[in-house]
Amino acid sequence: IMYYRDGVSEGQFAEILTIELNAIQSAIASTSPGAKVAVTFIVVQKRHHARFFPIKGTETEGKNSNLPPGTVVDKHITAPNQFQFFLISHQAVQGVAKPTKYCVLYDDINCDPDELQAVTYALCHMFARCNRSVSYPAPTYYAHLAAY
């Protein structure tokens, strides 16, 4: 199970991880006793101040010369003690493309970072209400719609 969770600040990571991971594991245990189901818990964050700009000679997109969709930053500006990455998954209509920050809080699957980033980018193309890629994974958008 790959679980994308939005609406969590860094100060809530431990609390959300404990509560929601226990709930997922309890649900698995009650529906399939004895089953070993691997879980990866990923927090999706849009409220940050990171912006990325191309360096001279780098490929750009659109009239604003943004970095192309699919650009991943997973070194140098991420936390050294946690698996984090930034992904620009959409083309900005106006201004600078705002990357989405992903924090992997728990990973039973032991995902390869490149594969997890590729799956995350692919999920940004699955939102049925838009014929382009969106800024964060479709399951997160659908969760917003369900909550509304």
Side-chain angles (χ1 to χ4, degrees):
I1 296 173
M2 294 183 84
Y3 178 55
Y4 289 86
R5 176 65 156 85
D6 187 22
V8 180
S9 68
E10 289 187 21
Q12 298 173 305
F13 281 1
E15 178 184 7
I16 292 297
L17 180 62
T18 302
I19 294 169
E20 295 185 10
L21 187 61
N22 285 339
I24 289 170
Q25 291 171 335
S26 295
I28 292 168
S30 68
T31 58
S32 303
K36 298 288 182 192
V37 179
V39 177
T40 296
F41 192 126
I42 306 155
V43 172
V44 180
Q45 294 182 313
K46 287 292 289 178
R47 294 183 178 171
H48 58 78
H49 300 290
R51 301 293 183 275
F52 303 125
F53 301 94
I55 57 174
K56 192 172 185 172
T58 305
E59 179 185 349
T60 62
E61 278 287 313
K63 65 179 181 178
N64 296 319
S65 296
N66 284 304
L67 290 168
T71 300
V72 172
V73 175
D74 60 0
K75 294 180 179 135
H76 305 296
I77 64 166
T78 56
N81 59 345
Q82 184 181 53
F83 175 29
Q84 297 181 346
F85 63 96
F86 290 87
L87 170 65
I88 299 174
S89 57
H90 64 292
Q91 186 175 20
V93 177
Q94 181 178 6
V96 176
K98 184 176 181 182
T100 302
K101 181 180 177 184
Y102 297 89
C103 303
V104 179
L105 300 185
Y106 186 83
D107 185 17
D108 261 350
I109 300 172
N110 294 320
C111 289
D112 174 67
D114 293 335
E115 289 177 7
L116 177 60
Q117 293 160 0
V119 166
T120 300
Y121 182 52
L123 285 170
C124 293
H125 291 80
M126 301 295 200
F127 189 54
R129 291 185 173 190
C130 187
N131 61 2
R132 302 161 37 142
S133 62
V134 292
S135 61
Y136 52 91
T140 314
Y141 270 102
Y142 292 128
H144 282 252
L145 292 172
Y148 181 71

